[in-house]
Amino acid sequence: MKLAGKVALVTGSSQGIGQAIAIRLAEEGASVVINYRSHPEGAEDTLLKVRSAGGQCHAVDGFTVQADTGMVADVQRMIDESVDHFGTLDILVNNAGIEKNADFWQVTESDYDAVMNVNLKGVFFATQAFVKHRMAIQQPGKVINISSVHEELPFPHFAAYCASKGGLKMLTRNLSIELAPLGITINNVAPGAIETPINTKLLNDPEKLGALLKNIPLGRLGKPADVASIVVFLASSESDYVTGTTFFVDGGLLWNYQEQ
Ligand code: BGC
């Protein structure tokens, strides 16, 4: 087991990629704080799965925290409650993310704010609260941000989403330098098209799905578990010399330009 005795917080882990990450971390021996905003049932489901993934490893447990990661006061409370419950927090996985589909000229201020608050501002302040905790106990730590291929790749009709993920790329690069003296590493994992609730519409549209699959060299959508395995690596000591970079988990989507 790569994470025996560690404590990890995974934001947005009541479903999708976050849930898969929570379960994989538990399989590796970590106790997991499961964060949700509006689906307590999903968080309870993750909690049961975390406990059974921990299996015979009695040290593994889970704990659910309601928090809107788009709100600074909520993310600070989320980190405090995690530390209070488990006594420490070694790993922060900033996974919660949202997207809104609209023509650029139709985007409302409230949709722009919703996307930027969850995808960038919340990550910024959750990481800040995590770093303060690690500084207070003078211990190293691991931050893993779930970004997107769209930290590099344009995604028409998702301008705010792309801006948030591009911002996340620079935040990670910047913090890798600032946090290195504290022994804290920070990296991004950038999924491509993964079978999760964020893609429900796409999954139910055969035409769009077919077009997308043509752009994925490995010929299939990703699964949440494909993302979770790289998070385990980045959360473990096997990645101690890795910081400030992005790992793409996209079946080759990002670099697949083909002249017709
Ligand atoms: C988005 C998905 C999209 C995928 C590939 C992800 O970041 O959340 O909606 O299908 O990128 O474009």
Side-chain angles (χ1 to χ4, degrees):
M1 279 194 298
K2 296 190 173 119
L3 301 171
K6 299 287 183 192
V7 179
L9 162 63
V10 185
T11 67
S13 44
S14 58
Q15 61 178 17
I17 292 173
Q19 183 178 72
I21 293 170
I23 295 166
R24 276 295 281 123
L25 296 178
E27 279 171 4
E28 296 294 337
S31 289
V32 185
V33 182
I34 298 144
N35 156 253
Y36 67 99
R37 181 181 56 179
S38 48
H39 292 294
E41 345 60 67
E44 286 304 317
D45 181 45
T46 307
L47 180 61
L48 290 176
K49 289 175 174 153
V50 158
R51 286 188 174 142
S52 76
Q56 307 87 337
C57 184
H58 295 301
V60 169
D61 200 3
F63 173 61
T64 63
V65 176
Q66 191 285 332
D68 178 346
T69 57
M71 291 170 64
V72 175
D74 270 32
V75 297
Q76 287 166 340
R77 177 180 52 77
M78 171 180 77
I79 300 285
D80 288 348
E81 285 183 21
S82 306
V83 173
D84 285 351
H85 185 85
F86 283 119
T88 192
L89 186 60
D90 305 285
I91 300 154
L92 171 64
V93 183
N94 288 306
N95 164 78
I98 58 173
E99 64 185 32
K100 307 264 183 191
N101 181 351
D103 292 333
F104 170 67
W105 47 91
Q106 302 278 9
V107 175
T108 62
E109 185 178 355
S110 73
D111 277 357
Y112 174 92
D113 283 345
V115 169
M116 295 303 272
N117 286 349
V118 173
N119 296 6
L120 192 54
K121 186 176 174 183
V123 174
F124 189 107
F125 286 100
T127 304
Q128 185 187 68
F130 173 78
V131 166
K132 284 183 180 173
H133 158 64
R134 300 314 286 171
M135 288 173 86
I137 58 171
Q138 296 187 317
Q139 292 294 322
K142 302 271 186 190
V143 181
I144 299 126
N145 300 320
I146 307 306
S147 175
S148 165
V149 285
H150 300 298
E151 69 165 49
E152 286 294 340
L153 191 66
F155 194 12
H157 316 292
F158 291 86
Y161 183 74
C162 287
S164 72
K165 296 301 186 179
L168 191 54
K169 176 177 78 175
M170 282 312 295
L171 180 63
T172 293
R173 290 182 182 183
N174 205 71
L175 293 186
S176 68
I177 300 165
E178 230 178 307
L179 303 183
L182 306 172
I184 298 173
T185 62
I186 179 165
N187 291 287
N188 283 9
V189 173
I194 311 291
E195 285 172 23
T196 69
I198 211 171
N199 279 319
T200 307
K201 261 196 190 157
L202 173 78
L203 294 169
N204 292 318
D205 184 335
E207 207 174 305
K208 276 198 179 154
L209 187 59
L212 174 63
L213 284 172
K214 280 197 195 134
N215 286 328
I216 303 177
L218 287 179
R220 65 169 175 90
L221 293 192
K223 299 201 175 302
D226 293 319
V227 182
S229 52
I230 194 117
V231 174
V232 167
F233 166 70
L234 291 171
S236 78
S237 58
E238 290 185 9
S239 63
D240 278 352
Y241 199 58
V242 178
T243 196
T245 197
T246 296
F247 290 76
F248 292 93
V249 184
D250 68 348
L253 172 71
L254 179 60
W255 302 125
N256 186 33
Y257 171 75
Q258 290 179 34
E259 192 118 2
Q260 299 302 319

